[in-house]
Amino acid sequence: MKTIYVESLGCAKNQVDSEILLTYALENGYDMTEDPMKASVIVVNSCGFIEDAKKESIDTLLSMRKMYPHAKIILAGCLAQRYASQMDLEEADAIFGNHDLSLFPALLEKVERNVRVVETPEYPDPDAERDDRKVLLSMPASAYLKISEGCDHRCAYCAIPLIRGPLRSRPMDRIVEEARRLISSGIYEINVIAQDLGAYGTDGPGKRSRFVELMDRLSSLEGNYVLRMLYIHPDTFPLDLLPLVRERKNILPYFDIPFQHSAAKVLRGMGRTGDRKTYVDLVRRIRTEVPGAVIRSTLMLGFPGEDNEAFEDLKLFVKEAELDWMGSFLYSREEDTPAYGMRNAKEHEKAHRVAKKYQDELVRIQDRISEKRAHSFVGGEYTALVEEKIEGESLAFGRIYSQAPEVDGVTVIEGENLKPGDVVRVRIEKNMTFDLEGVVI
């Protein structure tokens, strides 16, 4: 039997690629398995964004080879795309980039014949790219919808343009049709993703953003569904999006805005134009114009130029912005990025140790804020998507609009006969630090 298992690492965009790879495999005689022991082919769909992600990808590959020596193992994804010509990984039976996924069936056929393949083909024409996924790896009734590839912002620290290339917006009609198929198949939560949603369309005629136009069309489709927006660059945030979110009840008032920092001198080094006042003003404007708005961000510690003064600015930003959710990570010195030469390895290691202390302090501050923001939902009634039944109990795990998949807290729901994929109304009774507890109304 031909069976395939995919270990999908990294971001949601990678997950969409994994779903497309699985769709191709199913069409070419493979059965999908969730047990790698039963797989004749194992795909490690890797991440190559920062050092920790690269290490996880390599460790996963080596672990798979050791644990499942019977299987053919393919290293795919971002790490494969970025380093295919530099890696000498005998543990991989094939190395396959993430641009032209339509070549996956041909690669599988070669691997079956014990031909070792290393391929990083270029992107096909956007109209030729596949979007009819037969497999979804998300929780029930939830799916990701990718609207573009690559990025044109060229932040000094970021390797995404090296991996995914410049911005390539997908044709709008194709995106809308894919959303329509997802809705008709029973998907309730559509998570709209890109490296920067607001940049959608800026690679086309007129170089203007068409993201608000796209959201207008997506939110006008028939059916019972909601749209969640993930990742909008703060320096080019489309303010005309706010009235649309306020008007359309099926666009969740959830804004994921990766500010990265607040100190102007650090942001300039990153290639960004903002500062603390600009970013705090943006947060406050969103909350003023969109009642109930939830804002998540990611902050980077340890970028060249960060000192005590810059960190004090960042602490002040976190306190003033009162973000609902915040993730943080330490700057990774990535070769071939503009920031790589800003300091040497020894200086980077020293800065890394200081940044870890900064990060720990920042997390402590944000934890108190996130707990306070979570408490503000107590007493309210919200729609929740059930994700997992707790066996033997009249309880289930789910999420309300303030909780994005995998990255935010969860809601523990009390109710009878709940099952994954159910959409129910709940009254929030209390919060447990960041998580919520509610009962079905």
Side-chain angles (χ1 to χ4, degrees):
M1 290 181 61
K2 298 195 298 184
T3 52
I4 187 167
Y5 170 84
V6 174
E7 184 74 18
S8 193
L9 305 175
C11 67
K13 295 182 288 295
N14 232 28
Q15 179 177 312
V16 172
D17 289 349
S18 294
E19 293 164 349
I20 293 173
L21 293 177
L22 282 167
T23 297
Y24 276 120
L26 292 177
E27 290 179 344
N28 284 270
Y30 282 82
D31 289 328
M32 176 183 166
T33 178
E34 296 182 0
D35 181 359
M37 180 61 75
K38 298 177 180 178
S40 60
V41 172
I42 295 173
V43 178
V44 177
N45 198 10
S46 63
C47 179
F49 179 48
I50 59 176
E51 194 61 38
D52 286 348
K54 291 186 285 188
K55 183 178 184 303
E56 180 189 19
S57 297
I58 295 296
D59 288 348
T60 300
L61 172 70
L62 298 179
S63 175
M64 290 290 187
R65 171 51 68 208
K66 182 177 181 180
M67 295 175 65
Y68 313 110
H70 65 281
K72 301 290 186 183
I73 299 182
I74 300 171
L75 179 67
C78 290
L79 187 71
Q81 181 67 37
R82 187 177 178 188
Y83 294 110
S85 62
Q86 304 171 37
M87 291 190 297
D88 183 21
L89 285 171
E90 295 181 355
E91 293 81 2
D93 295 289
I95 296 176
F96 183 55
N98 57 8
H99 287 190
D100 191 349
L101 303 184
S102 70
L103 299 178
F104 188 58
L107 179 132
L108 283 174
E109 190 272 333
K110 292 175 185 175
V111 169
E112 288 170 2
R113 293 189 286 107
N114 297 317
V115 177
R116 191 172 190 274
V117 187
V118 177
E119 289 185 354
T120 54
E122 294 301 314
Y123 280 115
D125 184 273
D127 286 313
E129 290 184 312
R130 181 144 199 181
D131 54 25
D132 55 335
R133 291 166 281 164
K134 292 181 171 60
V135 177
L136 295 176
L137 301 176
S138 307
M139 298 299 282
S142 178
Y144 291 104
L145 177 63
K146 182 158 54 172
I147 68 171
S148 66
E149 283 284 9
C151 187
D152 285 343
H153 285 296
R154 307 290 169 150
C155 297
Y157 57 84
C158 187
I160 293 299
L162 301 174
I163 301 169
R164 297 270 182 179
L167 178 67
R168 298 173 67 256
S169 299
R170 291 182 56 206
M172 188 177 296
D173 288 344
R174 294 283 299 273
I175 297 171
V176 173
E177 183 55 36
E178 183 178 2
R180 184 179 286 110
R181 287 198 304 270
L182 290 171
I183 295 165
S184 65
S185 70
I187 296 299
Y188 172 74
E189 177 189 57
I190 298 177
N191 299 285
V192 186
I193 58 171
Q195 196 62 32
D196 172 23
L197 294 175
Y200 175 78
T202 57
D203 54 327
K207 304 295 183 182
R208 63 179 183 85
S209 173
R210 301 184 65 196
F211 179 60
V212 176
E213 177 188 353
L214 173 62
M215 290 302 295
D216 182 19
R217 289 188 60 183
L218 289 175
S219 61
S220 299
L221 295 171
E222 294 184 0
N224 179 34
Y225 67 98
V226 293
L227 300 163
R228 184 187 299 277
M229 302 171 291
L230 298 176
Y231 329 124
I232 304 178
H233 196 293
D235 294 347
T236 53
F237 187 95
L239 292 172
D240 52 342
L241 174 66
L242 300 180
L244 184 68
V245 177
R246 186 174 63 246
E247 172 192 329
R248 302 289 170 86
K249 301 306 178 186
N250 59 355
I251 303 179
L252 300 179
Y254 181 101
F255 300 87
D256 190 333
I257 309 172
F259 290 110
Q260 306 298 8
H261 214 282
S262 65
K265 64 180 180 181
V266 176
L267 289 166
R268 297 302 172 274
M270 291 179 176
R272 293 184 162 217
T273 61
D275 55 36
R276 176 166 52 85
K277 182 182 183 306
T278 303
Y279 290 166
V280 170
D281 286 349
L282 175 58
V283 169
R284 290 174 177 169
R285 179 164 181 177
I286 292 171
R287 286 181 171 148
T288 297
E289 293 197 28
V290 183
V294 167
I295 300 175
R296 175 181 181 83
S297 190
T298 306
L299 301 178
M300 180 191 297
L301 287 304
F303 188 78
E306 184 181 61
D307 52 19
N308 285 332
E309 181 184 20
F311 179 60
E312 289 300 318
D313 188 280
L314 187 58
K315 284 199 298 184
L316 190 56
F317 167 72
V318 169
K319 293 174 181 178
E320 291 178 341
E322 290 197 318
L323 303 167
D324 294 84
W325 305 107
M326 184 205 80
S328 63
F329 66 103
L330 301 183
Y331 164 66
S332 177
R333 186 169 175 255
E334 294 297 312
E335 62 268 30
D336 299 323
T337 61
Y340 184 77
M342 290 183 179
R343 63 184 179 214
N344 60 37
K346 185 176 181 180
E347 293 167 337
H348 176 70
E349 188 61 33
K350 180 180 178 181
H352 207 270
R353 291 193 294 270
V354 175
K356 184 64 176 71
K357 296 179 181 178
Y358 286 162
Q359 184 185 37
D360 292 343
E361 184 176 352
L362 206 63
V363 168
R364 287 194 294 271
I365 295 171
Q366 180 60 43
D367 281 353
R368 293 193 294 270
I369 295 171
S370 290
E371 183 174 9
K372 173 186 171 185
R373 299 292 298 181
H375 184 73
S376 69
F377 288 89
V378 174
E381 297 180 1
Y382 305 94
T383 300
L385 174 61
V386 177
E387 289 192 324
E388 182 182 352
K389 179 78 171 69
I390 301 176
E391 291 302 322
E393 304 282 348
S394 297
L395 298 171
F397 293 118
R399 293 180 291 106
I400 65 172
Y401 83 92
S402 66
Q403 300 164 323
E406 300 182 11
V407 293
D408 300 330
V410 298
T411 299
V412 178
I413 306 168
E414 181 180 351
E416 297 295 330
N417 303 315
L418 296 172
K419 59 183 184 300
D422 283 350
V423 178
V424 296
R425 289 290 290 178
V426 300
R427 182 175 62 251
I428 303 301
E429 300 288 330
K430 65 178 180 179
N431 68 297
M432 306 169 290
T433 311
F434 314 126
D435 296 330
L436 303 173
E437 287 189 9
V439 296
V440 175
I441 300 171

